[in-house]
Amino acid sequence: MESISNPPLHEAYKILLDKIQNRKGEDGFEQELLVVEECELPVIDVRRLEESDEVLREECKSEIAKASQEWGFFQVVKHGISNDVFSRLRTEQEMMFQQPFDKKTKEHKFFNFSTGSYRWGTPTATCIKQLSWSEAFHIPLTDILSSSGSNTFDSTVEQFASQVSSLAQTLADILADKMGHKSTYFQENCSPSTCYVRLNRYPPCPLASEVHGLMPHTDSDFLTILHQDQVTGLQIVKDGKWIAVKPNPDALIIIIGDLFQVWSNGVYKSVEHRVVTNPKLERFSMAYFFCPCNDTVIESCTEPSVYKKFSFGEYRQGVQDDVQKLGYKIGLPKFLIHKGTT
């Protein structure tokens, strides 16, 4: 019997299986999962940014830009965020996910979060490989800030968010500077009130060869700052292959999002990634999404532009519409400027 805290993922799987049992073309998933190598992402000691030696500072900035171009993913260490913050947030996170499923679905009533903050599975999935074996609280920071730290969870998330927000601003400014733009764009358009925190849980999955923990996707923000536990699961695309990211307990993972790929005119890469399931172990992670407000115009900082300009709100709505209709995100390809068009 399943715990009353777990979402009905087995049920969702069975419904999708019934839909496709008389159709072919659902195979190939196991084979896809096998094309994996394990590696450690570039590791960058960002403490060097505080050095008085300009050579060391510039060396660090160059490493950040290079990893953003070549990988779209990198790790930062010596980032100044204490393990105590992550430990307390992990404790709060586990307590939230241990609540009964029915209570979690009423997040606006019991946790004072916006309706729709609690998510599980993939409601729009049309086939098994689109089903995500996971649950999450995707929380607008405005929900936390408006509570004024009224409980332990809110105060812990607020502390985490304030520290990673500062790191995100620093990294964004460095990446802009390396593009030759000493701009206040990110300070003006990305503030804690426009960003999100996402707490993820990936339950053990007996169907690990068939189901993703989180289906392949790119992130629809400027930057994501991710902290993960010691259970492997995160994989990224590099040189046409899936590679497994080796967990590093001392590091935060930095992910370049779609918006930075557009802003940099394709110089910085928003890379497809996914989470695979584990048959025996549950996995936890927490992410900070560095986003602008909805009316912020996203356009390339150099010409000729590879992408049409758009507002962040327009992009988010497009992603939601695609997921609703197709079960997956199309994203940036819809905004490419093709030769001979305007």
Side-chain angles (χ1 to χ4, degrees), residues 107-128:
E107 71 280 85
H108 61 288
K109 179 179 179 182
F110 291 103
F111 304 110
N112 294 320
F113 298 153
S114 300
T115 300
S117 295
Y118 176 69
R119 304 171 182 185
W120 67 275
T122 314
T124 58
T126 59
C127 58
I128 288 171

Side-chain angles (χ1 to χ4, degrees), residues 222-242:
F222 278 113
L223 293 170
T224 304
I225 299 181
L226 177 73
H227 184 266
Q228 59 175 347
D229 66 14
Q230 297 310 293
V231 179
T232 57
L234 177 64
Q235 299 181 351
I236 70 171
V237 172
K238 181 77 167 81
D239 300 326
K241 293 181 291 189
W242 284 106

Side-chain angles (χ1 to χ4, degrees), residues 58-99:
E58 289 305 314
E59 179 185 71
C60 183
K61 292 177 182 179
S62 295
E63 289 176 15
I64 290 168
K66 182 180 179 182
S68 300
Q69 292 176 48
E70 296 181 359
W71 286 79
F73 268 73
F74 57 95
Q75 300 176 100
V76 297
V77 294
K78 311 290 184 178
H79 42 69
I81 303 171
S82 73
N83 286 332
D84 178 61
V85 171
F86 296 121
S87 178
R88 285 189 284 115
L89 189 52
R90 169 63 181 266
T91 299
E92 295 292 330
Q93 186 175 3
E94 288 184 4
M95 289 173 59
M96 286 183 66
F97 283 118
Q98 286 168 1
Q99 298 298 314

Side-chain angles (χ1 to χ4, degrees), residues 190-205:
C190 302
S191 68
S193 64
T194 65
C195 298
Y196 297 81
V197 167
R198 184 180 175 103
L199 307 177
N200 299 302
R201 175 180 176 259
Y202 302 91
C205 178

Side-chain angles (χ1 to χ4, degrees), residues 129-337:
K129 65 182 178 181
Q130 291 178 356
L131 175 64
S132 292
W133 197 273
S134 57
E135 60 178 334
F137 285 95
H138 190 89
I139 310 165
L141 268 180
T142 48
D143 289 359
I144 305 297
L145 298 173
S146 62
S147 71
S148 302
S150 59
N151 56 54
T152 308
F153 174 81
D154 289 344
S155 60
T156 304
V157 171
E158 189 172 351
Q159 185 179 3
F160 164 74
S162 65
Q163 294 186 35
V164 292
S165 174
S166 176
L167 175 61
Q169 285 282 359
T170 297
L171 294 173
D173 289 343
I174 287 169
L175 291 173
D177 183 56
K178 284 298 179 179
M179 289 289 296
H181 287 261
K182 295 186 182 295
S183 169
T184 58
Y185 178 86
F186 297 102
Q187 290 94 332
E188 291 171 354
N189 292 293
C190 302
S191 68
S193 64
T194 65
C195 298
Y196 297 81
V197 167
R198 184 180 175 103
L199 307 177
N200 299 302
R201 175 180 176 259
Y202 302 91
C205 178
L207 308 160
S209 64
E210 301 177 53
V211 182
H212 287 112
L214 197 60
M215 65 181 289
H217 67 285
T218 57
D219 287 355
S220 301
D221 57 357
F222 278 113
L223 293 170
T224 304
I225 299 181
L226 177 73
H227 184 266
Q228 59 175 347
D229 66 14
Q230 297 310 293
V231 179
T232 57
L234 177 64
Q235 299 181 351
I236 70 171
V237 172
K238 181 77 167 81
D239 300 326
K241 293 181 291 189
W242 284 106
I243 62 170
V245 176
K246 188 176 179 180
N248 182 337
D250 299 318
L252 288 170
I253 294 176
I254 312 300
I255 306 170
I256 301 298
D258 295 345
L259 304 188
F260 232 130
Q261 179 163 318
V262 172
W263 189 89
S264 68
N265 215 10
V267 172
Y268 303 133
K269 308 301 183 189
S270 179
V271 174
E272 192 173 30
H273 52 286
R274 67 185 181 188
V275 176
V276 296
T277 51
N278 188 297
K280 296 181 179 179
L281 302 174
E282 66 179 347
R283 179 179 180 272
F284 291 92
S285 68
M286 56 195 78
Y288 178 87
F289 296 97
F290 188 59
C291 302
C293 57
N294 279 340
D295 59 2
T296 300
V297 175
I298 312 299
E299 59 184 323
S300 300
C301 67
T302 59
E303 295 290 344
S305 177
V306 177
Y307 299 96
K308 306 169 189 174
K309 66 180 180 180
F310 52 83
S311 72
F312 181 50
E314 178 186 359
Y315 190 68
R316 287 183 65 194
Q317 188 60 54
V319 169
Q320 291 170 16
D321 291 346
D322 288 338
V323 170
Q324 192 68 38
K325 293 174 186 173
L326 307 171
Y328 60 90
K329 164 186 170 180
I330 296 177
L332 290 184
K334 294 177 74 172
F335 292 89
L336 278 170
I337 296 176

